[in-house]
Amino acid sequence: MQTDVLTPAKAAFRLTGLLNQLSTVHGDVRFPVDVESLAKNCHEIFKWHDPITSVVAADIPGFDGCLSYLGKGNGWALIYNEAVSSRGRVRFTQAHELGHYILHRATQTEFNCTDQDMDDWQADERRIEIEADSFAANLLMPLDDFRQQISTRVDFEQLGDCAARYGVSLTAAALRWVSATDKKVVLIASNDGFMRWSYSSESARKSGAFFRARKHIVELPAASLAADESVVRESEGATVPASVWFADASSGTKLREMKIASGQYGVLTLLELPGTEAVWAPWVNR
Ligand SMILES: [Zn+2]
């Protein structure tokens, strides 16, 4: 019955086109995306007969969101955790569950998703979780619009403005940028001196600039701003020797280290490496 092969990007692109149109024709506010209303109406867009009939907050300890089939004629319930106070996190969760509805509901009748499924886009190796995140990011933060908000020299100020524009967390906005940029950048989330996770742009990865923070315990370098508790915010970044973070970097190379620390998400660090220098020795130790 399902003839459309919808990829996360394709599905989000289709909805984005429609939202752009509504905004142009009717003057609807374009951002942040009203995910709740979209979830309840999107079966009409795709001409499906099993709608999302309710979007509700509920007590679901241990999970950020669920999508549940209620039986023939009753459609689906999209549930999000009532204890989550961050509107940005709730919006991303709703969009993630909407992604499961659009992309995966033919294969499962129940989806239970943790915050780890959404906070760290590479943490969960299950394909459907990565796809739901990708759909959510594409829907909430369309790249063409995102790129217009960011100058050639990114900083946490601009990413914070994007987070506000799209109604998402700073982490989600930063991940979106890192996943799309051709610059050599690494985003690191840490607590108490240790990395929780890190995410490298494709060009940074290809240059060997990545950390295996999911598989190993990785301590923050002692000389980094990230590890310096007296630095709460270095939004535009400070220039530091690249060797502080990467032992294989040649001695003259510098990188830009940006930092923002808060009780909400711990420490977020963004490293921007020189784009032209081939300073990394990524594979020699493999
Ligand atoms: Zn999920």
Side-chain angles (χ1 to χ4, degrees), residues 56-66 79-94 97 113-116 118-119 167-169 264:
V56 288
D59 183 23
I60 45 171
F63 297 100
D64 259 29
C66 302
I79 301 156
Y80 56 96
N81 192 325
E82 65 183 10
V84 174
S85 58
S86 156
R87 275 305 301 163
R89 221 170 110 185
V90 167
R91 180 172 282 106
F92 199 90
T93 297
Q94 291 175 338
E97 300 307 331
C113 308
T114 67
D115 63 342
Q116 218 194 359
M118 287 165 249
D119 191 29
V168 299
S169 67
Q264 197 187 338

PDB file of all heavy atoms in Angstrom, residues 56-66 79-94 97 113-116 118-119 167-169 264:
ATOM      1  N   VAL A  56       0.130  14.174  23.332  1.00  0.00           N
ATOM      2  CA  VAL A  56      -0.082  14.451  24.759  1.00  0.00           C
ATOM      3  C   VAL A  56       1.191  14.293  25.590  1.00  0.00           C
ATOM      4  O   VAL A  56       2.057  13.477  25.275  1.00  0.00           O
ATOM      5  CB  VAL A  56      -1.152  13.510  25.384  1.00  0.00           C
ATOM      6  CG1 VAL A  56      -2.531  13.885  24.901  1.00  0.00           C
ATOM      7  CG2 VAL A  56      -0.857  12.064  25.088  1.00  0.00           C
ATOM      8  N   ALA A  57       1.242  15.079  26.666  1.00  0.00           N
ATOM      9  CA  ALA A  57       2.313  14.910  27.653  1.00  0.00           C
ATOM     10  C   ALA A  57       1.858  13.856  28.652  1.00  0.00           C
ATOM     11  O   ALA A  57       0.681  13.796  29.015  1.00  0.00           O
ATOM     12  CB  ALA A  57       2.559  16.232  28.366  1.00  0.00           C
ATOM     13  N   ALA A  58       2.776  12.995  29.081  1.00  0.00           N
ATOM     14  CA  ALA A  58       2.398  11.945  30.039  1.00  0.00           C
ATOM     15  C   ALA A  58       3.600  11.571  30.891  1.00  0.00           C
ATOM     16  O   ALA A  58       4.729  11.957  30.603  1.00  0.00           O
ATOM     17  CB  ALA A  58       1.879  10.722  29.288  1.00  0.00           C
ATOM     18  N   ASP A  59       3.319  10.824  31.938  1.00  0.00           N
ATOM     19  CA  ASP A  59       4.368  10.358  32.843  1.00  0.00           C
ATOM     20  C   ASP A  59       4.993   9.097  32.247  1.00  0.00           C
ATOM     21  O   ASP A  59       4.442   8.004  32.383  1.00  0.00           O
ATOM     22  CB  ASP A  59       3.724  10.064  34.216  1.00  0.00           C
ATOM     23  CG  ASP A  59       4.771   9.635  35.224  1.00  0.00           C
ATOM     24  OD1 ASP A  59       5.957   9.970  35.027  1.00  0.00           O
ATOM     25  OD2 ASP A  59       4.406   8.959  36.204  1.00  0.00           O
ATOM     26  N   ILE A  60       6.110   9.267  31.575  1.00  0.00           N
ATOM     27  CA  ILE A  60       6.790   8.110  30.954  1.00  0.00           C
ATOM     28  C   ILE A  60       8.250   8.109  31.403  1.00  0.00           C
ATOM     29  O   ILE A  60       9.138   8.456  30.622  1.00  0.00           O
ATOM     30  CB  ILE A  60       6.660   8.116  29.414  1.00  0.00           C
ATOM     31  CG1 ILE A  60       6.940   9.525  28.815  1.00  0.00           C
ATOM     32  CG2 ILE A  60       5.296   7.650  28.975  1.00  0.00           C
ATOM     33  CD1 ILE A  60       7.049   9.543  27.297  1.00  0.00           C
ATOM     34  N   PRO A  61       8.486   7.715  32.650  1.00  0.00           N
ATOM     35  CA  PRO A  61       9.847   7.784  33.200  1.00  0.00           C
ATOM     36  C   PRO A  61      10.848   7.002  32.346  1.00  0.00           C
ATOM     37  O   PRO A  61      10.544   5.901  31.899  1.00  0.00           O
ATOM     38  CB  PRO A  61       9.704   7.124  34.577  1.00  0.00           C
ATOM     39  CG  PRO A  61       8.250   7.000  34.848  1.00  0.00           C
ATOM     40  CD  PRO A  61       7.532   7.072  33.550  1.00  0.00           C
ATOM     41  N   GLY A  62      11.992   7.598  32.132  1.00  0.00           N
ATOM     42  CA  GLY A  62      13.045   6.907  31.378  1.00  0.00           C
ATOM     43  C   GLY A  62      12.967   7.137  29.877  1.00  0.00           C
ATOM     44  O   GLY A  62      13.865   6.758  29.143  1.00  0.00           O
ATOM     45  N   PHE A  63      11.873   7.734  29.422  1.00  0.00           N
ATOM     46  CA  PHE A  63      11.738   7.987  27.994  1.00  0.00           C
ATOM     47  C   PHE A  63      11.443   9.453  27.743  1.00  0.00           C
ATOM     48  O   PHE A  63      10.817  10.115  28.559  1.00  0.00           O
ATOM     49  CB  PHE A  63      10.619   7.129  27.392  1.00  0.00           C
ATOM     50  CG  PHE A  63      10.897   5.662  27.486  1.00  0.00           C
ATOM     51  CD1 PHE A  63      10.316   4.900  28.482  1.00  0.00           C
ATOM     52  CD2 PHE A  63      11.774   5.063  26.599  1.00  0.00           C
ATOM     53  CE1 PHE A  63      10.609   3.540  28.593  1.00  0.00           C
ATOM     54  CE2 PHE A  63      12.073   3.711  26.697  1.00  0.00           C
ATOM     55  CZ  PHE A  63      11.481   2.947  27.701  1.00  0.00           C
ATOM     56  N   ASP A  64      11.882   9.921  26.585  1.00  0.00           N
ATOM     57  CA  ASP A  64      11.528  11.292  26.197  1.00  0.00           C
ATOM     58  C   ASP A  64      10.255  11.305  25.372  1.00  0.00           C
ATOM     59  O   ASP A  64       9.484  12.255  25.420  1.00  0.00           O
ATOM     60  CB  ASP A  64      12.673  11.931  25.397  1.00  0.00           C
ATOM     61  CG  ASP A  64      13.495  12.867  26.264  1.00  0.00           C
ATOM     62  OD1 ASP A  64      13.560  12.609  27.477  1.00  0.00           O
ATOM     63  OD2 ASP A  64      14.064  13.840  25.735  1.00  0.00           O
ATOM     64  N   GLY A  65      10.070  10.235  24.592  1.00  0.00           N
ATOM     65  CA  GLY A  65       8.889  10.207  23.736  1.00  0.00           C
ATOM     66  C   GLY A  65       8.499   8.806  23.331  1.00  0.00           C
ATOM     67  O   GLY A  65       9.316   7.882  23.364  1.00  0.00           O
ATOM     68  N   CYS A  66       7.219   8.648  22.961  1.00  0.00           N
ATOM     69  CA  CYS A  66       6.710   7.363  22.475  1.00  0.00           C
ATOM     70  C   CYS A  66       5.739   7.630  21.331  1.00  0.00           C
ATOM     71  O   CYS A  66       5.092   8.677  21.287  1.00  0.00           O
ATOM     72  CB  CYS A  66       5.902   6.616  23.536  1.00  0.00           C
ATOM     73  SG  CYS A  66       6.786   6.279  25.044  1.00  0.00           S
ATOM     74  N   ILE A  79       3.295  10.672  22.277  1.00  0.00           N
ATOM     75  CA  ILE A  79       3.385  11.008  23.698  1.00  0.00           C
ATOM     76  C   ILE A  79       4.773  11.551  24.006  1.00  0.00           C
ATOM     77  O   ILE A  79       5.775  11.021  23.516  1.00  0.00           O
ATOM     78  CB  ILE A  79       3.130   9.733  24.543  1.00  0.00           C
ATOM     79  CG1 ILE A  79       1.738   9.164  24.200  1.00  0.00           C
ATOM     80  CG2 ILE A  79       3.232  10.022  26.035  1.00  0.00           C
ATOM     81  CD1 ILE A  79       1.613   7.692  24.488  1.00  0.00           C
ATOM     82  N   TYR A  80       4.832  12.607  24.790  1.00  0.00           N
ATOM     83  CA  TYR A  80       6.141  13.126  25.220  1.00  0.00           C
ATOM     84  C   TYR A  80       6.157  13.252  26.731  1.00  0.00           C
ATOM     85  O   TYR A  80       5.116  13.371  27.376  1.00  0.00           O
ATOM     86  CB  TYR A  80       6.484  14.448  24.529  1.00  0.00           C
ATOM     87  CG  TYR A  80       5.468  15.544  24.702  1.00  0.00           C
ATOM     88  CD1 TYR A  80       5.620  16.514  25.704  1.00  0.00           C
ATOM     89  CD2 TYR A  80       4.343  15.621  23.882  1.00  0.00           C
ATOM     90  CE1 TYR A  80       4.687  17.519  25.868  1.00  0.00           C
ATOM     91  CE2 TYR A  80       3.402  16.622  24.044  1.00  0.00           C
ATOM     92  CZ  TYR A  80       3.576  17.569  25.039  1.00  0.00           C
ATOM     93  OH  TYR A  80       2.649  18.561  25.220  1.00  0.00           O
ATOM     94  N   ASN A  81       7.356  13.228  27.278  1.00  0.00           N
ATOM     95  CA  ASN A  81       7.518  13.176  28.736  1.00  0.00           C
ATOM     96  C   ASN A  81       7.130  14.505  29.388  1.00  0.00           C
ATOM     97  O   ASN A  81       7.724  15.542  29.085  1.00  0.00           O
ATOM     98  CB  ASN A  81       8.972  12.816  29.064  1.00  0.00           C
ATOM     99  CG  ASN A  81       9.153  12.457  30.521  1.00  0.00           C
ATOM    100  OD1 ASN A  81       8.508  13.022  31.401  1.00  0.00           O
ATOM    101  ND2 ASN A  81      10.033  11.498  30.784  1.00  0.00           N
ATOM    102  N   GLU A  82       6.160  14.457  30.284  1.00  0.00           N
ATOM    103  CA  GLU A  82       5.658  15.682  30.919  1.00  0.00           C
ATOM    104  C   GLU A  82       6.684  16.307  31.866  1.00  0.00           C
ATOM    105  O   GLU A  82       6.574  17.474  32.236  1.00  0.00           O
ATOM    106  CB  GLU A  82       4.367  15.388  31.697  1.00  0.00           C
ATOM    107  CG  GLU A  82       4.583  14.443  32.872  1.00  0.00           C
ATOM    108  CD  GLU A  82       3.292  14.078  33.601  1.00  0.00           C
ATOM    109  OE1 GLU A  82       2.203  14.408  33.096  1.00  0.00           O
ATOM    110  OE2 GLU A  82       3.401  13.450  34.668  1.00  0.00           O
ATOM    111  N   ALA A  83       7.677  15.509  32.267  1.00  0.00           N
ATOM    112  CA  ALA A  83       8.668  16.029  33.216  1.00  0.00           C
ATOM    113  C   ALA A  83       9.767  16.846  32.526  1.00  0.00           C
ATOM    114  O   ALA A  83      10.563  17.506  33.193  1.00  0.00           O
ATOM    115  CB  ALA A  83       9.298  14.864  33.980  1.00  0.00           C
ATOM    116  N   VAL A  84       9.812  16.796  31.215  1.00  0.00           N
ATOM    117  CA  VAL A  84      10.848  17.554  30.491  1.00  0.00           C
ATOM    118  C   VAL A  84      10.406  19.011  30.376  1.00  0.00           C
ATOM    119  O   VAL A  84       9.366  19.308  29.791  1.00  0.00           O
ATOM    120  CB  VAL A  84      11.094  16.954  29.088  1.00  0.00           C
ATOM    121  CG1 VAL A  84      12.054  17.820  28.292  1.00  0.00           C
ATOM    122  CG2 VAL A  84      11.633  15.536  29.210  1.00  0.00           C
ATOM    123  N   SER A  85      11.192  19.901  30.956  1.00  0.00           N
ATOM    124  CA  SER A  85      10.762  21.305  30.978  1.00  0.00           C
ATOM    125  C   SER A  85      11.283  22.095  29.773  1.00  0.00           C
ATOM    126  O   SER A  85      10.746  23.141  29.439  1.00  0.00           O
ATOM    127  CB  SER A  85      11.228  21.974  32.270  1.00  0.00           C
ATOM    128  OG  SER A  85      12.631  21.872  32.356  1.00  0.00           O
ATOM    129  N   SER A  86      12.305  21.594  29.130  1.00  0.00           N
ATOM    130  CA  SER A  86      12.871  22.332  27.999  1.00  0.00           C
ATOM    131  C   SER A  86      11.960  22.219  26.776  1.00  0.00           C
ATOM    132  O   SER A  86      11.760  21.122  26.223  1.00  0.00           O
ATOM    133  CB  SER A  86      14.262  21.780  27.680  1.00  0.00           C
ATOM    134  OG  SER A  86      14.589  22.053  26.338  1.00  0.00           O
ATOM    135  N   ARG A  87      11.443  23.348  26.327  1.00  0.00           N
ATOM    136  CA  ARG A  87      10.547  23.351  25.156  1.00  0.00           C
ATOM    137  C   ARG A  87      11.305  22.854  23.919  1.00  0.00           C
ATOM    138  O   ARG A  87      10.743  22.205  23.049  1.00  0.00           O
ATOM    139  CB  ARG A  87      10.019  24.770  24.884  1.00  0.00           C
ATOM    140  CG  ARG A  87       8.800  25.183  25.664  1.00  0.00           C
ATOM    141  CD  ARG A  87       7.624  24.230  25.526  1.00  0.00           C
ATOM    142  NE  ARG A  87       7.164  24.041  24.151  1.00  0.00           N
ATOM    143  CZ  ARG A  87       6.391  23.042  23.745  1.00  0.00           C
ATOM    144  NH1 ARG A  87       6.001  22.112  24.591  1.00  0.00           N
ATOM    145  NH2 ARG A  87       6.013  22.949  22.484  1.00  0.00           N
ATOM    146  N   GLY A  88      12.589  23.200  23.865  1.00  0.00           N
ATOM    147  CA  GLY A  88      13.395  22.779  22.727  1.00  0.00           C
ATOM    148  C   GLY A  88      13.493  21.269  22.655  1.00  0.00           C
ATOM    149  O   GLY A  88      13.374  20.667  21.585  1.00  0.00           O
ATOM    150  N   ARG A  89      13.698  20.658  23.818  1.00  0.00           N
ATOM    151  CA  ARG A  89      13.813  19.198  23.842  1.00  0.00           C
ATOM    152  C   ARG A  89      12.475  18.546  23.482  1.00  0.00           C
ATOM    153  O   ARG A  89      12.426  17.559  22.762  1.00  0.00           O
ATOM    154  CB  ARG A  89      14.269  18.756  25.234  1.00  0.00           C
ATOM    155  CG  ARG A  89      15.300  17.648  25.191  1.00  0.00           C
ATOM    156  CD  ARG A  89      15.885  17.428  26.560  1.00  0.00           C
ATOM    157  NE  ARG A  89      15.432  16.156  27.115  1.00  0.00           N
ATOM    158  CZ  ARG A  89      15.707  15.764  28.339  1.00  0.00           C
ATOM    159  NH1 ARG A  89      16.403  16.533  29.148  1.00  0.00           N
ATOM    160  NH2 ARG A  89      15.291  14.603  28.788  1.00  0.00           N
ATOM    161  N   VAL A  90      11.399  19.126  24.005  1.00  0.00           N
ATOM    162  CA  VAL A  90      10.070  18.583  23.691  1.00  0.00           C
ATOM    163  C   VAL A  90       9.802  18.674  22.185  1.00  0.00           C
ATOM    164  O   VAL A  90       9.332  17.723  21.564  1.00  0.00           O
ATOM    165  CB  VAL A  90       8.971  19.324  24.488  1.00  0.00           C
ATOM    166  CG1 VAL A  90       7.583  18.991  23.945  1.00  0.00           C
ATOM    167  CG2 VAL A  90       9.065  18.983  25.972  1.00  0.00           C
ATOM    168  N   ARG A  91      10.133  19.822  21.604  1.00  0.00           N
ATOM    169  CA  ARG A  91       9.880  19.989  20.167  1.00  0.00           C
ATOM    170  C   ARG A  91      10.682  18.970  19.359  1.00  0.00           C
ATOM    171  O   ARG A  91      10.167  18.364  18.421  1.00  0.00           O
ATOM    172  CB  ARG A  91      10.227  21.413  19.725  1.00  0.00           C
ATOM    173  CG  ARG A  91       9.978  21.633  18.232  1.00  0.00           C
ATOM    174  CD  ARG A  91      10.134  23.073  17.799  1.00  0.00           C
ATOM    175  NE  ARG A  91       8.981  23.861  18.162  1.00  0.00           N
ATOM    176  CZ  ARG A  91       8.941  24.745  19.157  1.00  0.00           C
ATOM    177  NH1 ARG A  91      10.020  24.962  19.876  1.00  0.00           N
ATOM    178  NH2 ARG A  91       7.855  25.412  19.420  1.00  0.00           N
ATOM    179  N   PHE A  92      11.942  18.774  19.732  1.00  0.00           N
ATOM    180  CA  PHE A  92      12.757  17.808  18.989  1.00  0.00           C
ATOM    181  C   PHE A  92      12.190  16.398  19.156  1.00  0.00           C
ATOM    182  O   PHE A  92      12.127  15.612  18.203  1.00  0.00           O
ATOM    183  CB  PHE A  92      14.225  17.861  19.437  1.00  0.00           C
ATOM    184  CG  PHE A  92      15.164  17.243  18.428  1.00  0.00           C
ATOM    185  CD1 PHE A  92      15.729  18.012  17.421  1.00  0.00           C
ATOM    186  CD2 PHE A  92      15.451  15.889  18.464  1.00  0.00           C
ATOM    187  CE1 PHE A  92      16.563  17.443  16.458  1.00  0.00           C
ATOM    188  CE2 PHE A  92      16.284  15.309  17.506  1.00  0.00           C
ATOM    189  CZ  PHE A  92      16.841  16.090  16.513  1.00  0.00           C
ATOM    190  N   THR A  93      11.754  16.085  20.377  1.00  0.00           N
ATOM    191  CA  THR A  93      11.146  14.773  20.632  1.00  0.00           C
ATOM    192  C   THR A  93       9.899  14.577  19.769  1.00  0.00           C
ATOM    193  O   THR A  93       9.712  13.525  19.153  1.00  0.00           O
ATOM    194  CB  THR A  93      10.745  14.653  22.123  1.00  0.00           C
ATOM    195  OG1 THR A  93      11.934  14.723  22.907  1.00  0.00           O
ATOM    196  CG2 THR A  93      10.046  13.334  22.401  1.00  0.00           C
ATOM    197  N   GLN A  94       9.039  15.581  19.742  1.00  0.00           N
ATOM    198  CA  GLN A  94       7.818  15.469  18.934  1.00  0.00           C
ATOM    199  C   GLN A  94       8.166  15.241  17.462  1.00  0.00           C
ATOM    200  O   GLN A  94       7.553  14.419  16.785  1.00  0.00           O
ATOM    201  CB  GLN A  94       6.972  16.745  19.072  1.00  0.00           C
ATOM    202  CG  GLN A  94       6.353  16.910  20.455  1.00  0.00           C
ATOM    203  CD  GLN A  94       5.626  18.241  20.605  1.00  0.00           C
ATOM    204  OE1 GLN A  94       5.892  19.194  19.872  1.00  0.00           O
ATOM    205  NE2 GLN A  94       4.718  18.309  21.565  1.00  0.00           N
ATOM    206  N   GLU A  97       9.413  11.676  16.962  1.00  0.00           N
ATOM    207  CA  GLU A  97       8.313  10.697  16.930  1.00  0.00           C
ATOM    208  C   GLU A  97       7.511  10.827  15.638  1.00  0.00           C
ATOM    209  O   GLU A  97       7.056   9.827  15.084  1.00  0.00           O
ATOM    210  CB  GLU A  97       7.390  10.873  18.149  1.00  0.00           C
ATOM    211  CG  GLU A  97       8.060  10.688  19.514  1.00  0.00           C
ATOM    212  CD  GLU A  97       8.813   9.387  19.680  1.00  0.00           C
ATOM    213  OE1 GLU A  97       8.445   8.384  19.038  1.00  0.00           O
ATOM    214  OE2 GLU A  97       9.806   9.369  20.434  1.00  0.00           O
ATOM    215  N   CYS A 113      11.391   6.000  22.984  1.00  0.00           N
ATOM    216  CA  CYS A 113      12.668   6.645  22.674  1.00  0.00           C
ATOM    217  C   CYS A 113      13.231   7.379  23.889  1.00  0.00           C
ATOM    218  O   CYS A 113      12.519   8.126  24.563  1.00  0.00           O
ATOM    219  CB  CYS A 113      12.479   7.614  21.517  1.00  0.00           C
ATOM    220  SG  CYS A 113      11.687   6.828  20.102  1.00  0.00           S
ATOM    221  N   THR A 114      14.499   7.175  24.132  1.00  0.00           N
ATOM    222  CA  THR A 114      15.150   7.839  25.264  1.00  0.00           C
ATOM    223  C   THR A 114      15.772   9.147  24.814  1.00  0.00           C
ATOM    224  O   THR A 114      15.872   9.422  23.620  1.00  0.00           O
ATOM    225  CB  THR A 114      16.270   6.956  25.841  1.00  0.00           C
ATOM    226  OG1 THR A 114      17.305   6.861  24.851  1.00  0.00           O
ATOM    227  CG2 THR A 114      15.763   5.571  26.182  1.00  0.00           C
ATOM    228  N   ASP A 115      16.208   9.941  25.795  1.00  0.00           N
ATOM    229  CA  ASP A 115      16.847  11.202  25.410  1.00  0.00           C
ATOM    230  C   ASP A 115      18.155  10.944  24.693  1.00  0.00           C
ATOM    231  O   ASP A 115      18.601  11.733  23.887  1.00  0.00           O
ATOM    232  CB  ASP A 115      17.038  12.122  26.619  1.00  0.00           C
ATOM    233  CG  ASP A 115      17.965  11.542  27.651  1.00  0.00           C
ATOM    234  OD1 ASP A 115      18.193  10.311  27.606  1.00  0.00           O
ATOM    235  OD2 ASP A 115      18.452  12.285  28.504  1.00  0.00           O
ATOM    236  N   GLN A 116      18.766   9.801  24.975  1.00  0.00           N
ATOM    237  CA  GLN A 116      20.032   9.510  24.298  1.00  0.00           C
ATOM    238  C   GLN A 116      19.822   9.311  22.802  1.00  0.00           C
ATOM    239  O   GLN A 116      20.692   9.588  21.989  1.00  0.00           O
ATOM    240  CB  GLN A 116      20.685   8.284  24.900  1.00  0.00           C
ATOM    241  CG  GLN A 116      22.193   8.477  24.953  1.00  0.00           C
ATOM    242  CD  GLN A 116      22.952   7.209  25.217  1.00  0.00           C
ATOM    243  OE1 GLN A 116      22.386   6.141  25.387  1.00  0.00           O
ATOM    244  NE2 GLN A 116      24.254   7.336  25.243  1.00  0.00           N
ATOM    245  N   MET A 118      18.118  11.117  21.089  1.00  0.00           N
ATOM    246  CA  MET A 118      17.976  12.417  20.446  1.00  0.00           C
ATOM    247  C   MET A 118      19.120  13.383  20.712  1.00  0.00           C
ATOM    248  O   MET A 118      19.390  14.271  19.941  1.00  0.00           O
ATOM    249  CB  MET A 118      16.669  13.054  20.899  1.00  0.00           C
ATOM    250  CG  MET A 118      15.501  12.346  20.251  1.00  0.00           C
ATOM    251  SD  MET A 118      13.956  12.735  21.024  1.00  0.00           S
ATOM    252  CE  MET A 118      13.543  11.194  21.785  1.00  0.00           C
ATOM    253  N   ASP A 119      19.792  13.200  21.831  1.00  0.00           N
ATOM    254  CA  ASP A 119      20.830  14.136  22.227  1.00  0.00           C
ATOM    255  C   ASP A 119      22.098  13.908  21.429  1.00  0.00           C
ATOM    256  O   ASP A 119      22.785  14.828  21.023  1.00  0.00           O
ATOM    257  CB  ASP A 119      21.106  13.946  23.727  1.00  0.00           C
ATOM    258  CG  ASP A 119      21.973  15.051  24.272  1.00  0.00           C
ATOM    259  OD1 ASP A 119      21.896  16.168  23.726  1.00  0.00           O
ATOM    260  OD2 ASP A 119      22.708  14.803  25.230  1.00  0.00           O
ATOM    261  N   GLY A 167      13.486  27.061  17.878  1.00  0.00           N
ATOM    262  CA  GLY A 167      12.863  26.497  19.070  1.00  0.00           C
ATOM    263  C   GLY A 167      13.448  25.163  19.480  1.00  0.00           C
ATOM    264  O   GLY A 167      12.735  24.243  19.872  1.00  0.00           O
ATOM    265  N   VAL A 168      14.763  25.033  19.343  1.00  0.00           N
ATOM    266  CA  VAL A 168      15.440  23.786  19.725  1.00  0.00           C
ATOM    267  C   VAL A 168      16.536  24.102  20.741  1.00  0.00           C
ATOM    268  O   VAL A 168      16.811  25.267  21.025  1.00  0.00           O
ATOM    269  CB  VAL A 168      16.071  23.082  18.495  1.00  0.00           C
ATOM    270  CG1 VAL A 168      14.998  22.709  17.480  1.00  0.00           C
ATOM    271  CG2 VAL A 168      17.134  23.963  17.842  1.00  0.00           C
ATOM    272  N   SER A 169      17.159  23.062  21.270  1.00  0.00           N
ATOM    273  CA  SER A 169      18.248  23.281  22.220  1.00  0.00           C
ATOM    274  C   SER A 169      19.497  23.764  21.480  1.00  0.00           C
ATOM    275  O   SER A 169      19.642  23.553  20.262  1.00  0.00           O
ATOM    276  CB  SER A 169      18.565  21.990  22.963  1.00  0.00           C
ATOM    277  OG  SER A 169      19.106  21.050  22.054  1.00  0.00           O
ATOM    278  N   GLN A 264      22.360  23.363  32.580  1.00  0.00           N
ATOM    279  CA  GLN A 264      21.404  22.607  31.771  1.00  0.00           C
ATOM    280  C   GLN A 264      22.056  21.500  30.942  1.00  0.00           C
ATOM    281  O   GLN A 264      21.597  20.381  30.893  1.00  0.00           O
ATOM    282  CB  GLN A 264      20.678  23.588  30.849  1.00  0.00           C
ATOM    283  CG  GLN A 264      19.396  23.030  30.249  1.00  0.00           C
ATOM    284  CD  GLN A 264      18.815  23.989  29.216  1.00  0.00           C
ATOM    285  OE1 GLN A 264      19.101  25.188  29.225  1.00  0.00           O
ATOM    286  NE2 GLN A 264      18.010  23.468  28.331  1.00  0.00           N
TER     287      GLN A 264
END
